[in-house]
Amino acid sequence: MAEHLDSSVLETLQAVMEAEYPALLDTFLVDSEERLRLLHAACRSGQAESLRQAAHSFKGSCSNMGAALLAELCREMEETARRDQLDETPALIERIEREFAIVRILYRAERQRWGGPG
């Protein structure tokens, strides 16, 4: 789990959010699925700036939630889009999706541990 989630970030979020922590996890998961849709749409349209913005936004969200590897992949996507190297984006999106699938499982487990079914 350590390479996927930064436990110190999660502990800080738990301390700050207290009873709202499970809702924060739920919000992150829903928000992330929308951000993935935006990445796909920007990739399909070939709009490098839209892709860069979507990756930047997703990176910040992942970083704030302790999803370190996912944030790093989004940073790579942001840089790829900044350099207008869109031929590399489908493979990167696939890596982001695979990592998000792992993170989603881990956050759902965390959600159940903290607040029942989510």
Side-chain angles (χ1 to χ4, degrees):
M1 177 172 137
E3 72 268 16
H4 301 287
L5 299 181
D6 183 334
S7 59
S8 65
V9 172
L10 292 182
E11 288 166 12
T12 300
L13 289 171
Q14 291 162 14
V16 171
M17 298 300 293
E18 296 178 346
E20 295 300 313
Y21 179 66
L24 179 69
L25 297 174
D26 292 343
T27 300
F28 173 75
L29 292 175
V30 170
D31 185 59
S32 295
E33 290 180 12
E34 177 59 25
R35 291 175 193 274
L36 276 172
R37 280 192 288 279
L38 289 173
L39 285 177
H40 276 287
C43 183
R44 280 192 304 274
S45 71
Q47 296 178 336
E49 181 57 18
S50 295
L51 189 61
R52 188 198 65 74
Q53 289 175 0
H56 178 78
S57 179
F58 197 11
K59 176 186 75 177
S61 176
C62 294
S63 182
N64 290 340
M65 290 297 295
L69 185 52
L70 192 53
E72 174 58 23
L73 290 169
C74 289
R75 186 199 63 74
E76 287 180 36
M77 176 67 80
E78 185 180 8
E79 285 302 311
T80 298
R82 182 176 283 122
R83 292 189 309 266
D84 207 15
Q85 295 173 320
L86 299 186
D87 56 320
E88 297 177 21
T89 58
L92 250 178
I93 286 178
E94 191 175 307
R95 290 174 60 204
I96 288 169
E97 285 186 316
R98 279 198 307 264
E99 179 59 18
F100 178 66
I102 294 166
V103 165
R104 180 173 36 220
I105 290 166
L106 295 172
Y107 276 127
R108 284 183 175 160
E110 180 77 358
R111 169 73 171 84
Q112 286 186 321
R113 195 166 72 81
W114 274 86

